Amino acid sequence: MSDTKIKKIGVLTSGGDAPGMNAAIRSVVRTANDNDIKVVGIQRGFEGLLHGELSELGGRDVSNIMNRGGTILYTARSAEMRTPEGVEKAAQVCKVLQLDALVIIGGNGSLAGGLDLSKHGINIMGIPGTIDLDLDCTEYTVGFDTAVNTSLDAINKIRDTSCSHERCSVVEVMGRDAGHIALWTGLAGGAEEVLVPEDPVNKDAVVEQILENRSHGKNHNLIVVAEGVGHSQELAEYIEKITGIQTRATILGHLQRGGSPTAKDRLAAGIMGYNAVKLITEGARNRIMIVKDGKFTDIDLEEGLNCKRAYDKTLYDIIKVLAI
Ligand code: F6P
């Protein structure tokens, strides 16, 4: 038990859901309870904050959720929070509720909303929760591992049929601005080419790679495309037209956002939730929980959101070597 003066905090999930968000909520609530801090669960992200959709969360309210995908608090993308009036209103609600801090579990956009709130005096603790791993200040975001494993499971199944029919398969995975899911599943799933938004390969280079691999005796092909590059169906049609190889496109879509979180995601969620509340009790202000050099730590909210990580081609280069 701590001798903190912190009495009440809020917690919300915002933006696209990610497996492990529930485990993070559980961790925040139980750690807060251990420190005699009340937790207000805010539903539907900033939308619920703006419209007073709240309920107190006790330790038992978060039983049996750490194994569940999605978020018990629901989530939303709030257009109102992108206006100065919306931010001011949300900050006012936090003050009326007497929240000593607000824990935001979400991605880039959600934490940017948190930064706006922090400028109105609200103490924000961010927990990166997004399958895309597109928050450059951290080496890990809750949900990524589950999404990669879900995509990989689908790719394994597609490989079976692609191999039987000696076809080419184009598989589109999520990742609007970042190709991390594509690169990880591409390497782990044995793709021959991976198209990522950071550095997309042109379709003729894809065709060339397929033909070269066929000339080396490969009888089926796997191309992974990140959502941010898109046009998977068109690419499949182009490959078939130029090469004469039967080609099928599969867009994995939202199935990647669901499912029971992996051990890695539960662990990250548990540690980050714990660290967020601990920091609040220690008087810290406006931090993002991150992984840096393989260790769980934290960074200033604004500094974290301004971090820019250069695209690292290492995984791509390995994929290309292993594909032949
Ligand atoms: O959460 C990230 C993400 O899954 C992106 O990869 C994708 O572009 C986006 O969310 C989809 O959002 P929505 O569920 O709103 O269609």
Side-chain angles (χ1 to χ4, degrees):
M1 295 258 287
S2 109
D3 57 356
T4 177
K5 293 189 187 75
I6 303 291
K7 301 251 180 313
K8 202 202 279 183
I9 63 173
V11 62
L12 60 81
T13 50
S14 166
D17 62 351
M21 280 184 161
N22 280 328
I25 296 167
R26 171 182 178 270
S27 174
V28 167
V29 171
R30 296 252 169 109
T31 309
N33 282 190
D34 189 53
N35 287 276
D36 284 335
I37 299 170
K38 284 190 173 152
V39 181
V40 177
I42 298 154
Q43 297 198 332
R44 297 180 185 80
F46 294 120
E47 280 297 291
L49 184 61
L50 288 162
H51 300 106
E53 297 173 46
L54 322 156
S55 60
E56 199 173 312
L57 288 178
R60 293 279 67 77
D61 297 316
V62 291
S63 294
N64 295 322
I65 64 165
M66 67 184 301
N67 52 316
R68 284 163 52 191
T71 159
I72 59 159
L73 289 175
Y74 304 101
T75 184
R77 301 187 201 273
S78 172
E80 199 176 347
M81 258 309 273
R82 286 196 281 272
T83 67
E85 298 74 25
V87 174
E88 207 173 317
K89 184 175 163 194
Q92 197 51 38
V93 176
C94 291
K95 286 173 190 163
V96 170
L97 290 171
Q98 296 183 305
L99 298 183
D100 295 305
L102 175 63
V103 180
I104 298 174
I105 307 166
N108 250 319
S110 308
L111 299 189
L115 178 63
D116 292 339
L117 279 177
S118 74
K119 305 251 157 95
H120 289 262
I122 310 302
N123 187 15
I124 300 294
M125 290 290 149
I127 297 179
T130 164
I131 64 164
D132 285 357
L133 188 54
D134 60 348
L135 205 60
D136 286 355
C137 59
T138 179
E139 290 157 18
Y140 198 71
T141 61
V142 171
F144 178 69
D145 189 59
T146 309
V148 167
N149 279 290
T150 302
S151 312
L152 188 59
D153 181 51
I155 284 176
N156 289 340
K157 289 170 177 150
I158 290 168
R159 174 182 280 280
D160 287 345
T161 171
S162 182
C163 181
S164 309
H165 286 265
E166 301 178 84
R167 280 176 175 156
C168 171
S169 293
V170 175
V171 182
E172 185 174 311
V173 298
M174 271 189 163
R176 190 168 29 207
D177 305 311
H180 300 294
I181 298 177
L183 288 168
W184 280 58
T185 53
L187 180 52
E192 286 145 68
E193 188 58 84
V194 177
L195 281 72
V196 296
E198 294 90 338
D199 188 13
V201 185
N202 78 48
K203 56 188 182 179
D204 289 316
V206 176
V207 166
E208 224 171 274
Q209 179 72 74
I210 291 168
L211 290 173
E212 192 192 332
N213 289 348
R214 290 270 169 165
S215 77
H216 290 295
K218 262 192 183 249
N219 68 349
H220 64 102
N221 310 87
L222 173 65
I223 312 297
V224 173
V225 178
E227 175 195 1
V229 175
H231 306 288
S232 299
Q233 183 59 39
E234 286 104 302
L235 178 64
E237 284 164 19
Y238 186 74
I239 293 169
E240 184 161 321
K241 190 172 114 203
I242 304 292
T243 65
I245 299 166
Q246 278 194 347
T247 305
R248 298 285 186 269
T250 309
I251 298 172
L252 299 184
H254 284 80
L255 78 84
Q256 297 160 94
R257 286 241 297 261
S260 182
T262 58
K264 180 166 177 170
D265 277 325
R266 295 183 201 192
L267 188 114
I271 294 173
M272 286 178 170
Y274 174 89
N275 286 350
V277 177
K278 275 294 177 200
L279 283 167
I280 295 168
T281 65
E282 288 160 14
R285 294 191 67 79
N286 305 321
R287 312 289 297 173
I288 306 178
M289 305 312 109
I290 60 167
V291 175
K292 190 171 179 229
D293 301 326
K295 292 200 172 65
F296 287 93
T297 178
D298 53 278
I299 188 172
D300 174 71
L301 178 61
E302 186 154 17
E303 192 186 330
L305 285 170
N306 285 330
C307 280
K308 286 277 167 283
R309 196 170 42 208
Y311 171 56
D312 179 357
K313 260 187 105 227
T314 310
L315 291 186
Y316 181 81
D317 291 341
I318 296 172
I319 288 165
K320 298 305 290 177
V321 171
L322 303 189
I324 298 169

